[in-house]
Amino acid sequence: MRTTALLLLALAAVTSAVTYHGYKVVSVTPRTTAEAQVLQKAVQLLQLQQWTHPHRLGVPVDVLVPPSLVYVFLSGLQAKHIPVQVKITDVQALIEEQVATRTPSTSLPRAFDHTQYHTLDEIYSILDGVEADYNSLVSSYTAATTYEGRPIRVLKVSSEESDTKPVIWIDCGIHAREWISSAVCQYILDQLTSGYGSNSDVTALLDTYDFHIMPVTNPDGYEFTWSDDRLWRKNRFPSGGALNCHGIDPNRNFDSDFGGPGTSDQPCSDIYHGTAAFSEKESQAVRDSVQALGSRVKIFFTLHAYSQLWMTPYGYTYDLPDNYDEQYRVSKVGVDALIAVHGTEFIYGNIADVIYMAAGGSTDWAYDAAGIQYAFALELRDQGSYGFLLPPEQIVPTGEETLAGIVAAINAV
């Protein structure tokens, strides 16, 4: 009886907030520049939200379409003979289905559970439990406190007390709605902690490197995706504007061509860059933590979703970094190892060419300002069948392939 009541409360929390009943995710594949322009004009005119962006012809672009605009959007594209496909027929139904599969609990978990997505309180409770269970291996620190007062936590996994080994940095969940990102960070933490001493590969890895892992870089936004809007992207800082908007995109807030291409100065935009570089606690948390580690940081990974991409600098320019050939070589090794696990196809290359131009990102900052010679941004599963709503049964396979790719890249360096 109690389990049923908890499940109903969870469903009520979702349905009482922003809802997406009848919303569809439509995949459009422009084949010519003219078709791409038609799509862009339609998106702008109808004020639609793009889940992915056109980066080259022949690649599908996913667009979220409300029920009132489905007919006009689809009929307009079909009249121009532009290929379209409905990938998700009812976004809210998919959201509610995922909530319904959660196993309610009367207490916060203290151990990893990769069968479902977790609330922020659950994640932090799990991190507490891991730190207690593996106290000789794991310690934690607070990188910053958010606008709404939540800690941005980092777990350090190290086989030694001394801070002398090179460091692998991994952050997840800088965009709130990308739940699979934070789930994969938890999976990686689980494999590192449970595998040390029992798995020779993990043991060798931790005897060589320390790991600093930030599982939820944007806790205010992540909490908001559970309480109010499952598809929220930004943080929750009151950004103002005529509509009293909230939120700044933390991954447009770094000092890497701040305010450049792929950003917006409109507070209501999903890619609003904020008033100044590092104005936000989330970008400050990454910056301050990485800078405190100094030259020990050898590889920087930031995990996003979705599109199945492994990317290197730069995002703010089509120019390539001086060591691009080396970063490209390591990317290939990582992607080959990732694909070998489950056959999940990934594309690799520099951000601007592989996905789109985007200034103010953490990967470019890590390479340019922090001097980290290997800086990678990964877009995890999938390619739009579920998009930001990847089912929980894909957490483990996504974690397996991502970790395999990361370990191979580390070894290649």
Side-chain angles (χ1 to χ4, degrees), residues 223-256:
E223 180 71 15
F224 196 72
T225 62
W226 284 87
S227 63
D228 287 75
D229 185 349
R230 174 62 182 86
L231 299 180
W232 187 258
R233 169 185 167 95
K234 303 183 288 183
N235 69 8
R236 290 297 300 161
F237 187 84
S239 52
L243 299 177
N244 192 29
C245 298
H246 281 72
I248 290 161
D249 183 344
N251 203 43
R252 299 294 184 274
N253 191 241
F254 286 78
D255 188 13
S256 54

Side-chain angles (χ1 to χ4, degrees), residues 177-239:
R177 62 193 177 190
E178 298 168 10
W179 285 8
I180 187 61
S181 170
S182 292
V184 166
C185 251
Q186 295 168 66
Y187 179 86
I188 293 171
L189 279 166
D190 187 6
Q191 299 307 303
L192 292 176
T193 51
S194 64
Y196 186 73
S198 60
N199 181 301
S200 59
D201 292 336
V202 171
T203 303
L205 197 63
L206 283 175
D207 283 343
T208 307
Y209 297 96
D210 289 346
F211 282 74
H212 286 245
I213 299 178
M214 183 181 282
V216 188
T217 307
N218 179 8
D220 287 353
Y222 185 79
E223 180 71 15
F224 196 72
T225 62
W226 284 87
S227 63
D228 287 75
D229 185 349
R230 174 62 182 86
L231 299 180
W232 187 258
R233 169 185 167 95
K234 303 183 288 183
N235 69 8
R236 290 297 300 161
F237 187 84
S239 52

Side-chain angles (χ1 to χ4, degrees), residues 328-365:
Y328 189 84
R329 177 190 71 83
V330 174
S331 297
K332 181 182 187 306
V333 172
V335 167
D336 285 348
L338 187 156
I339 293 174
V341 179
H342 294 294
T344 307
E345 292 293 335
F346 265 59
I347 296 172
Y348 56 96
N350 61 303
I351 296 167
D353 283 325
V354 167
I355 187 167
Y356 47 65
M357 293 193 78
S362 66
T363 312
D364 290 350
W365 170 84

Side-chain angles (χ1 to χ4, degrees), residues 166-170 209-213 298-299 301 406 410:
V167 169
I168 307 300
W169 172 272
I170 306 175
Y209 297 96
D210 289 346
F211 282 74
H212 286 245
I213 299 178
K298 300 305 179 185
I299 311 181
F301 292 99
I406 286 175
I410 294 170

Side-chain angles (χ1 to χ4, degrees), residues 21 40 85 145 165 167 186 294 391 406:
H21 291 290
Q40 202 57 41
Q85 175 190 4
T145 301
K165 288 188 293 187
V167 169
Q186 295 168 66
I406 286 175

